[in-house]
């Protein structure tokens, strides 16, 4: 069930690009990202206050998670602007599982499983094919470093959230703390890039959708799955996001899926099946 929860969260993550494509044109990606975290963070805080509250979260993991949430938004969009969508996506999404595995090994001496290694290799190869298909990739060293920062931010956020979950805090409380504080960090970005678009019907609808579906709902599912999985395995499962985005592009935006892109999608799906297979095969247990 845990892996399926993370996969469902990734499906929600994958709606972001399509929603932005259907929304108002000419918006700053960083501004949209800040508005998404602001609304999603507010919703997560509200959910936590209605359930378990926000007390007791350890300060260091909470601060790390919040800074990582904000850092990912800023570094990923900056990387894409500098080195292009293709290369930025490959480095950020492809590096996150490996960096999460390295972080767990460095801090806990926990080595990822062989199944994780095989699944990560397949899925990252698929992400590379999807991102490079039909794209003019321009390599920029600063852009690569920014994308690696995004991947590291995602790994750090996942690890910090895992630490708080292992300490006994609920998924709702952990997500509320991380995204609520992350929203405060990102608030100046929204004003710097301009928040006037939120006063329009289409702009507000976009921000609300992004805050509810690929943020609040998705990260509660993400945290519930993460509670029982390693940070490395969870990061690999979230590579279902680009697969979802690609399929939505074909179905909703009438984009063309050529042969190399289809192979990339198949590789990602294969990697996810390698990780999900043990859970699918595991028989359901009946509570005593």
């Amino acid at each position: 069930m845990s892996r399926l929860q993370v996969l469902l969260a990734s499906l929600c993550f994958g709606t972001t690009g399509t929603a932005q494509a259907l929304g108002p044109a000419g918006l700053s990606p960083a501004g949209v990202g800040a508005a998404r975290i602001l609304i999603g963070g507010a919703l997560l805080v509200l959910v936590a206050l209605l359930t378990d509250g926000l007390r007791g979260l350890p300060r260091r993991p909470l601060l790390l998670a919040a800074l990582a949430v904000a850092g990912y938004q800023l570094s990923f969009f900056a990387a894409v602007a500098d080195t292009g969508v293709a290369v930025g996506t490959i480095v950020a999404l492809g590096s996150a599982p490996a960096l999460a595995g390295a972080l767990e090994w460095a801090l806990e001496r926990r080595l990822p499983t062989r199944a994780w290694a095989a699944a990560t290799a397949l899925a990252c190869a698929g992400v590379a094919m999807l991102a490079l298909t039909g794209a003019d990739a321009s390599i920029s060293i600063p852009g690569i470093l920014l994308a690696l920062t995004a991947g590291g931010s995602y790994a750090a956020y996942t690890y910090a959230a895992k630490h708080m979950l292992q300490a006994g805090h609920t998924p709702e409380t952990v997500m509320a703390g991380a995204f609520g504080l992350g929203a405060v960090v990102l608030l100046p970005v929204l004003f710097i890039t301009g928040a006037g678009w939120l006063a329009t019907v289409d702009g507000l609808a976009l921000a609300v959708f992004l805050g509810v579906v690929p943020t609040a709902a998705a990260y509660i599912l993400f945290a519930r799955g993460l509670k029982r999985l390693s940070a490395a395995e969870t990061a690999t499962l979230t590579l279902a996001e680009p697969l979802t985005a690609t399929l939505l592009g074909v179905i909703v935006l009438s984009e063309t899926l050529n042969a190399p892109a289809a192979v990339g999608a198949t590789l990602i799906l294969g990697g996810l099946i390698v990780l999900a297979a043990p859970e699918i095969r595991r028989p359901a247990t009946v509570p005593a």
Side-chain angles (χ1 to χ4, degrees), residues 92-250:
L93 292 181
S95 64
L99 291 173
L103 191 60
E104 285 189 324
W105 176 84
L107 298 179
E108 299 180 4
R109 290 295 186 263
R110 179 195 300 176
L111 288 175
T113 64
R114 292 181 180 178
W116 171 84
T120 300
L122 283 171
C124 288
V127 170
M129 292 195 71
L130 281 180
L132 289 177
T133 297
D136 295 326
S138 57
I139 304 298
S140 163
I141 298 302
I144 294 296
L145 294 176
L146 284 167
L148 285 172
T149 301
S153 296
Y154 194 86
Y157 156 75
T158 303
Y159 181 82
K162 175 69 175 178
H163 182 87
M164 289 186 281
L165 290 167
Q166 285 180 321
H169 299 287
T170 66
E172 291 79 8
T173 300
V174 171
M175 293 299 102
F179 280 84
L181 189 55
V184 174
V185 176
L186 286 172
L187 189 58
V189 176
L190 184 60
F191 289 106
I192 291 172
T193 58
W197 58 277
L198 288 172
T200 67
V201 174
D202 289 344
L204 183 60
L206 172 64
V208 169
F209 175 84
L210 292 177
V212 173
V213 178
T215 306
Y219 276 102
I220 287 177
L221 286 168
F222 175 89
R224 288 179 178 175
L226 175 62
K227 190 171 185 177
R228 295 174 176 82
L229 301 173
S230 70
E233 185 174 350
T234 303
T236 297
L237 287 168
T238 57
L239 291 179
E241 176 184 350
L243 174 60
T244 302
T246 298
L247 294 177
L248 285 176
V250 173

